[in-house]
Amino acid sequence: MKQSSAKATALKFVLLIGVMSFFADFTYEGSRSIIGPYLAVLGASAAAVGIVTGFGELLGYGLRLVSGRLSDQTGKYWPITIVGYIVQMSAVPLLALAGNWPVAALLIVLERVGKAMRNPPRDVMLSHAAKEMGYGWAFGVHEALDQSGALFGPLVVAAVLALRGEYRIAFALLLIPALVTLSILLVARLSYPRPEEMEVTPPDIRTTGLPRIFWMYLVGAVLVAAGFADFPLIAYHFQRASTVSSTLIPVFYAVAMGVSGIGSLIFGRLYDRVGITVLVPLTLLSALFAPLVFLGDFSLSPTENLFETGKTLIGGK
């Protein structure tokens, strides 16, 4: 009975954080679907777009070492998560006020910094629930809700562009889901002040260092990242090369996010059953995206969907 109750509590926590992630992704993925064309409109070059988005991703992943370490040392998982969400959710709607591309670039980088701050401590808290549900299923459910927001955000942005043709209105509208995200975050903090108490079985603590499989996985992730092209740069290419219209660019991104969300559920379940080997064919499949997206035409551009699915499941979200 105790085990059943723990699973129910864990599921509720995962769903609550998943709904919060839905609105968070609605906000920042909605913005990322048009960042490339927006920077182009503000006068940025392709090199500037690549540098800004690349530097943003560098900080977005590199600073996780800092926030993750700080979370473990201080035990302040909730405070660090909250600060990260506030920074990220503030940066996105402020893009509506950017009068030039350097200011927009600063806000884009700041959004990535906010994500870097909040992801490690949030995922640690999710892991306490995941231990009771099954790691693949718990993170698959969360990722599916997360990616659902990443689907609807770009679609709403595309609708705004189709109706008004104004990027600033689209960014301003994203203030609504940003405020909803912060409201749910407050509810989650008050409802689950100590997520670690969801674990019924004591943790298996080892002090022998990280296993060999971790380092093999890390090398693989580094190689995947080396072939990574951020979507803002792809969107910039779509607009400059006129392979995709400005209105359809966020739709393409939305479809990629939707495919990624469905894949998270399916392959999350498979991961619990067959283990890490499920990532091998996904990695090989997603590796095809770069030459097809940059060298192909309109019919080949949707191969971005392959990359987003593989990247999400490998751990690059």
Side-chain angles (χ1 to χ4, degrees):
M1 186 68 179
K2 186 176 180 181
Q3 187 73 24
S4 176
S5 176
K7 287 185 177 180
T9 301
L11 177 60
K12 290 178 182 177
F13 180 72
V14 169
L15 290 176
L16 182 60
I17 297 299
V19 172
M20 180 182 73
S21 295
F22 171 93
F23 287 102
D25 270 51
F26 191 115
T27 305
Y28 76 84
E29 296 290 19
S31 73
R32 287 179 69 76
S33 69
I34 56 172
I35 279 174
Y38 185 52
L39 288 174
V41 168
L42 293 177
S45 65
V49 174
I51 292 171
V52 169
T53 57
F55 183 64
E57 291 301 318
L58 175 64
L59 292 180
Y61 287 98
L63 289 180
R64 297 185 193 203
L65 291 172
V66 178
S67 64
R69 185 74 170 178
L70 183 63
S71 299
D72 283 338
Q73 289 180 338
T74 63
K76 305 293 185 181
Y77 294 101
W78 272 121
I80 295 173
T81 299
I82 291 170
V83 171
Y85 270 107
I86 290 175
V87 170
Q88 186 183 32
M89 293 298 104
S90 300
V92 171
L94 285 175
L95 282 165
L97 303 178
N100 52 65
W101 75 260
V103 173
L106 178 62
L107 291 170
I108 290 167
V109 171
L110 191 62
E111 182 269 318
R112 293 287 89 184
V113 170
K115 185 174 183 181
M117 293 174 63
R118 52 89 162 172
N119 260 29
R122 184 208 64 187
D123 287 349
V124 168
M125 292 188 289
L126 273 174
S127 71
H128 295 303
K131 186 171 183 180
E132 302 305 320
M133 293 176 57
Y135 289 106
W137 181 235
F139 281 96
V141 168
H142 171 264
E143 193 66 28
L145 288 167
D146 183 283
Q147 294 300 102
S148 294
L151 166 66
F152 287 104
L155 288 179
V156 169
V157 166
V160 171
L161 293 181
L163 294 173
R164 301 297 298 272
E166 179 58 57
Y167 288 107
R168 285 188 171 86
I169 295 176
F171 286 119
L173 187 65
L174 293 174
L175 176 63
I176 297 173
L179 293 175
V180 174
T181 299
L182 296 178
S183 299
I184 297 175
L185 178 62
L186 177 61
V187 171
R189 171 63 180 87
L190 296 175
S191 301
Y192 299 89
R194 292 176 292 278
E196 65 276 9
E197 294 180 358
M198 285 185 284
E199 289 195 37
V200 174
T201 55
D204 180 15
I205 300 175
R206 302 178 185 181
T207 58
T208 56
L210 295 169
R212 181 184 176 189
I213 188 65
F214 170 82
W215 297 109
M216 293 175 63
Y217 178 85
L218 183 61
V219 170
V222 168
L223 293 175
V224 169
F228 173 72
D230 205 14
F231 186 79
L233 183 60
I234 295 172
Y236 183 96
H237 166 73
F238 284 165
Q239 185 177 48
R240 288 300 192 189
S242 299
T243 55
V244 180
S245 70
S246 297
T247 304
L248 283 179
I249 288 174
V251 175
F252 272 44
Y253 193 62
V255 172
M257 296 297 100
V259 172
S260 180
I262 294 172
S264 297
L265 282 175
I266 297 172
F267 294 106
R269 268 296 197 200
L270 282 175
Y271 177 87
D272 283 337
R273 295 182 180 179
V274 303
I276 199 170
T277 53
V278 73
L279 299 181
V280 176
L282 293 173
T283 304
L284 295 175
L285 185 63
S286 64
L288 301 173
F289 97 98
L292 295 177
V293 165
F294 286 103
L295 301 179
D297 55 15
F298 180 88
S299 62
L300 293 177
S301 295
T303 53
E304 166 71 5
N305 301 349
L306 299 176
F307 175 63
E308 286 297 335
T309 303
K311 178 169 72 74
T312 297
L313 295 165
I314 293 165
K317 180 73 175 70

